[in-house]
């Protein structure tokens, strides 16, 4: 899910609507985002190259991790 630049309280409302208020559901989503971030890092380590696309993907995944952590 791609979310626009919004205030933290708006993001929390959006995440609650999308993933509920159950701590287990929230934690599973957080784990999913951490896995996706790790996959991007692994790609960086394997290639040893940080392309502009890879850099953008990395920033997107960090943003997702931050959002799901805040929601958790």
């Amino acid at each position: 899910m791609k979310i626009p630049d919004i205030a933290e309280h708006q993001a929390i409302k959006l995440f609650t609507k999308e993933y509920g208020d159950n701590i287990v559901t929230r934690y599973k989503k957080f784990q999913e985002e951490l896995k996706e971030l790790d996959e991007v890092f692994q790609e960086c380590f394997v290639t040893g190259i940080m392309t502009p696309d890879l850099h953008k993907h990395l920033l997107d995944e960090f943003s997702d991790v931050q959002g799901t952590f805040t929601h958790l």
Side-chain angles (χ1 to χ4, degrees):
M1 176 177 85
K2 178 72 174 155
I3 60 171
D5 292 332
I6 56 177
E8 185 176 310
H9 72 280
Q10 292 171 311
I12 291 171
K13 282 177 81 172
L14 181 64
F15 274 85
T16 299
K17 180 180 177 188
E18 193 72 23
Y19 305 110
D21 57 4
N22 180 296
I23 191 72
V24 174
T25 304
R26 289 179 178 194
Y27 184 70
K28 285 180 181 179
K29 183 61 181 171
F30 177 66
Q31 285 181 308
E32 177 185 317
E33 295 302 340
L34 283 175
K35 182 178 180 261
E36 291 175 8
L37 177 63
D38 184 61
E39 289 169 357
V40 178
F41 268 116
Q42 293 305 318
E43 187 176 343
C44 292
F45 298 150
V46 168
T47 64
I49 300 169
M50 178 62 74
T51 64
D53 286 342
L54 200 53
H55 183 256
K56 182 183 179 324
H57 191 184
L58 189 63
L59 292 177
D60 287 344
E61 293 306 331
F62 266 120
S63 176
D64 291 348
V65 167
Q66 180 182 12
T68 55
F69 180 75
T70 299
H71 188 242
L72 182 63

